[in-house]
Amino acid sequence: MSKNVGRKIIYILVDFLLLSLSFLVFAWLKPATIAKVLPEYTEPFLYFSTIWLFVSIILDKYNFQHRSGWFKSILPIIICNFTITGVLSIFIYFFNVMYFSRFIVFGTIGMTTILELILGSIYSYLIRLNKSSFLYEEDKSAKEKEKVIPTERPEKEKIRSDQQREIDAFVPPQAGMRLDMRKAILQETSEQVFEFISGHVDTSFPENIVLSTTTRFNIQRLANNYYQSLVNLRRINDVRRINKFFEDINSKIPEGGIFITSVETYTLRKRRILGKYFPGLNYIVYAFDYIFKRLFPKFAPTKRIYFWLTKGRNRVLSKAESLGRLYSCGFEVIDEAFLNNQLYIVARKVSEPAYDYHPTYGPLIRLKRLGKNGKVIGVYKMRTMHAYSEYLQAYVYERNSLQEGGKFKDDFRITTVGKFMRKVWFDELPMFLNVFRGEMKIVGVRPLSKHYFSLYSKELQEARLKTKPGLLPPFYADMPKTIEEIQASEWKYLEAYEKHPFLTDCRYFWAAVYNILIKRARSN
């Protein structure tokens, strides 16, 4: 059993004792004999305490060791107990399934909260006291070493050290410190991670910096035009504004510079949660985690609540979203590895960030597509891919190429729900908004992204831009299988449309409807 697990068990036991003590106090204060109250409320108290401990574990109330400062120590207690109060209130007032006295329920919650806040404040004070003592001893030891072995640093290195003081970074002062750097990295990760990083970046080289940070402040304080590559040992799940964080890193390294980071993807998170708890409970925990961490951030009314409660830390991110954010911020992925239940990513700076201030994140999205005369239009669709997937078209094409029908092969960007919506055409219903706005018509060539458009021949590109794109493309009338056949199908349609626009659209419309309804043609 690890130290963290052992500590959490102790915290849970202490919390249960506080809860039991508060319950006994208010059972005693209730206007009835305690000999009558206890037998009547013993079973409801077990349900009550189960809900209390379960919600506390889900909201990570017992993870004290990673919190610094008094407010950060007590805030999870307040948030968690407020949530528990809401849950119990729903059970009591709306479902009428709990028969606790309101006096006992809310009195127990209030007293337990006060006791938790007192103990949390004491714990926070002791932690700060311990850290202050440790830093004093460390500073004293460093000064003694400086007296014994005076060293003289190069002027450039001295300036660099002054700039880095008090940032959460491991900066090797010279090439001979490779062993010390290895030890520092191993404290945060593992031997396999160190070897992976070393395969792409020489950590002993002064112009390659290794950080362990989640704040933009630490990135912004780095010297400009100095570092060739940057490695961050902290996972991006705990970064508040990920794109801004990546943009700051982009500004600190030159074109061609390497950036290495890591992420716990949602599939890895699911595996960890299901393996952490015993069967039955693990799926309940995962369901709550999925609703709060995956669904809440995607809807405007709950998004603010989510970020207010979590400050954006411990976010659930898919592989597609993580890579897509990197590409949108001017990086291209050159290597990946699954290590220590995290996905480590090696990216190269290839351009300036796109600075997309309106990313598609919710269930209804607007995709940038080329319309008539090359005008970029926002095509409405229901989300079938993970967020930021639109930036990964080149990445997927290079690795997977195209499958039959012209779509990307083994496209990991498509969600499970997305696959279903594509089969029943639900994802394309919002495109009627573009038809009503005059940006598209019912039948016509499919509106394409710039990357997919670049795969077409120059002549076909020019011909496509002369007409509006359509909701039903020629694909569903001719059912081509390869990219060459798709281009030939569109040439055939465009030539016919130029001669007889109305008749051509009517003929292609009924051919497409027949293939969709009778031959079960579907979008992949």
Side-chain angles (χ1 to χ4, degrees):
M1 182 184 296
S2 66
K3 283 186 177 180
N4 290 343
V5 175
R7 286 196 190 102
K8 285 187 178 181
I9 291 175
I10 293 173
Y11 297 151
I12 291 171
L13 292 175
V14 170
D15 198 33
F16 181 74
L17 290 175
L18 295 178
L19 189 66
S20 302
L21 175 64
S22 301
F23 167 71
L24 291 173
V25 168
F26 278 87
W28 178 71
L29 291 174
K30 184 174 173 60
T33 62
I34 196 161
K36 179 183 179 182
V37 170
L38 282 182
E40 184 179 348
Y41 287 101
T42 298
E43 184 177 348
F45 173 71
L46 292 176
Y47 293 124
F48 173 78
S49 57
T50 300
I51 294 172
W52 179 281
L53 297 176
F54 179 74
V55 175
S56 298
I57 292 171
I58 292 294
L59 297 183
D60 210 19
K61 183 169 74 174
Y62 304 119
N63 193 18
F64 290 104
Q65 57 268 26
H66 297 301
R67 297 177 186 138
S68 58
W70 174 76
F71 183 72
K72 288 184 178 180
S73 295
I74 67 168
L75 182 60
I77 296 174
I78 297 172
I79 293 173
C80 183
N81 292 6
F82 179 79
T83 304
I84 292 170
T85 304
V87 171
L88 291 174
S89 297
I90 291 173
F91 275 97
I92 292 173
Y93 293 107
F94 291 96
F95 295 99
N96 197 28
V97 296
M98 293 187 67
Y99 303 99
F100 256 153
S101 160
R102 284 31 166 195
F103 174 77
I104 293 179
V105 171
F106 298 112
T108 300
I109 292 174
M111 181 174 177
T112 307
T113 302
I114 292 171
L115 293 175
E116 285 179 336
L117 292 175
I118 293 172
L119 290 180
S121 300
I122 295 172
Y123 180 87
S124 175
Y125 172 76
L126 293 176
I127 290 294
R128 289 203 309 272
L129 193 65
N130 186 48
K131 283 186 177 179
S132 299
S133 176
F134 173 76
L135 291 174
Y136 172 77
E137 293 296 331
E138 189 180 56
D139 185 61
K140 183 178 178 182
S141 175
K143 287 181 179 179
E144 289 176 353
K145 287 181 181 180
E146 191 175 304
K147 290 179 182 179
V148 177
I149 311 176
T151 58
E152 192 170 320
R153 295 176 294 172
E155 188 61 28
K156 185 177 181 181
E157 191 60 45
K158 182 179 179 181
I159 294 172
R160 179 165 167 265
S161 178
D162 291 340
Q163 289 173 334
Q164 302 308 312
R165 190 181 301 151
E166 296 182 0
I167 49 176
D168 189 11
F170 299 112
V171 185
Q174 54 190 8
M177 296 299 290
R178 180 176 173 82
L179 291 177
D180 291 341
M181 178 55 62
R182 177 179 178 276
K183 182 179 179 181
I185 293 177
L186 290 179
Q187 287 177 351
E188 296 245 350
T189 58
S190 67
E191 181 71 40
Q192 293 84 358
V193 173
F194 174 76
E195 293 300 326
F196 178 74
I197 292 173
S198 300
H200 296 278
V201 171
D202 184 356
T203 55
S204 65
F205 189 55
E207 278 68 37
N208 294 332
I209 185 171
V210 181
L211 306 175
S212 180
T213 184
T214 60
T215 62
R216 295 177 60 199
F217 173 78
N218 291 340
I219 303 299
Q220 292 169 345
R221 291 196 62 186
L222 296 177
N224 292 322
N225 303 318
Y226 185 90
Y227 300 103
Q228 298 299 312
S229 299
L230 187 150
V231 179
N232 188 26
L233 302 179
R234 293 290 294 275
R235 61 182 195 168
I236 63 174
N237 304 78
D238 297 320
V239 176
R240 175 64 178 89
R241 290 179 172 84
I242 299 175
N243 282 24
K244 293 298 181 184
F245 189 81
F246 287 165
E247 289 167 6
D248 288 336
I249 291 172
N250 182 292
S251 69
K252 296 298 179 181
I253 61 177
E255 189 166 325
I258 299 298
F259 170 47
I260 301 180
T261 187
S262 66
V263 60
E264 182 189 46
T265 65
Y266 84 95
T267 52
L268 296 175
R269 183 185 185 92
K270 179 180 179 180
R271 185 191 307 168
R272 175 174 59 83
I273 292 175
L274 295 182
K276 184 177 179 180
Y277 301 95
F278 58 83
L281 177 62
N282 57 356
Y283 278 98
I284 296 175
V285 174
Y286 176 70
F288 274 90
D289 184 82
Y290 182 86
I291 293 170
F292 183 67
K293 294 291 181 71
R294 288 284 287 169
L295 299 184
F296 269 40
K298 296 184 183 300
F299 299 95
T302 55
K303 183 178 180 179
R304 292 187 178 184
I305 298 173
Y306 168 80
F307 280 105
W308 181 77
L309 291 174
T310 66
K311 305 302 180 185
R313 290 176 174 81
N314 196 25
R315 296 168 69 175
V316 180
L317 300 168
S318 65
K319 176 183 176 181
E321 180 179 347
S322 303
L323 299 185
R325 286 178 180 271
L326 281 168
Y327 272 84
S328 74
C329 293
F331 296 95
E332 69 171 1
V333 176
I334 59 176
D335 198 9
E336 308 164 31
F338 287 97
L339 302 167
N340 297 353
N341 203 50
Q342 292 189 53
L343 173 63
Y344 280 82
I345 306 166
V346 182
R348 179 193 295 118
K349 177 179 173 179
V350 293
S351 66
E352 295 299 313
Y355 298 111
D356 188 353
Y357 297 107
H358 302 285
T360 57
Y361 211 81
L364 179 64
I365 59 177
R366 288 184 66 191
L367 300 176
K368 295 178 181 178
R369 296 292 184 260
L370 294 175
K372 187 177 181 180
N373 299 322
K375 179 183 177 182
V376 177
I377 61 175
V379 175
Y380 292 95
K381 293 190 73 174
M382 295 300 297
R383 175 176 295 284
T384 60
M385 292 185 175
H386 296 289
Y388 289 90
S389 290
E390 59 269 30
Y391 291 98
L392 293 178
Q393 290 194 338
Y395 170 89
V396 177
Y397 177 72
E398 290 170 2
R399 286 161 175 75
N400 300 356
S401 191
L402 299 178
Q403 65 179 352
E404 185 177 294
K407 293 297 183 71
F408 291 117
K409 184 179 180 182
D410 299 325
D411 197 343
F412 67 93
R413 300 174 301 164
I414 304 174
T415 64
T416 303
V417 176
K419 291 177 182 178
F420 171 76
M421 286 199 294
R422 289 187 174 199
K423 287 184 177 180
V424 297
W425 292 82
F426 186 69
D427 63 311
E428 303 209 354
L429 290 178
M431 292 173 68
F432 279 104
L433 293 173
N434 296 103
V435 176
F436 297 148
R437 294 175 62 172
E439 299 169 331
M440 294 176 61
K441 54 197 185 77
I442 298 297
V443 177
V445 292
R446 186 187 297 275
L448 298 179
S449 66
K450 289 184 178 180
H451 175 266
Y452 208 106
F453 185 76
S454 68
L455 302 178
Y456 281 52
S457 65
K458 187 70 175 177
E459 295 77 9
L460 183 54
Q461 288 180 3
E462 293 175 356
R464 286 177 114 266
L465 297 181
K466 293 179 181 178
T467 65
K468 291 181 182 179
L471 186 62
L472 287 174
F475 172 88
Y476 290 107
D478 299 329
M479 300 303 294
K481 295 183 178 180
T482 66
I483 183 67
E484 291 77 15
E485 291 179 358
I486 291 174
Q487 293 188 54
S489 171
E490 293 191 354
W491 259 123
K492 178 183 173 184
Y493 165 78
L494 291 171
E495 289 176 348
Y497 182 81
E498 187 176 3
K499 297 176 182 178
H500 306 286
F502 180 74
L503 292 177
T504 299
D505 279 356
C506 287
R507 180 164 58 87
Y508 272 83
F509 175 81
W510 291 113
V513 169
Y514 175 81
N515 285 335
I516 291 170
L517 297 179
I518 306 302
K519 294 188 176 182
R520 312 296 294 174
R522 291 293 182 268
S523 174
N524 294 321

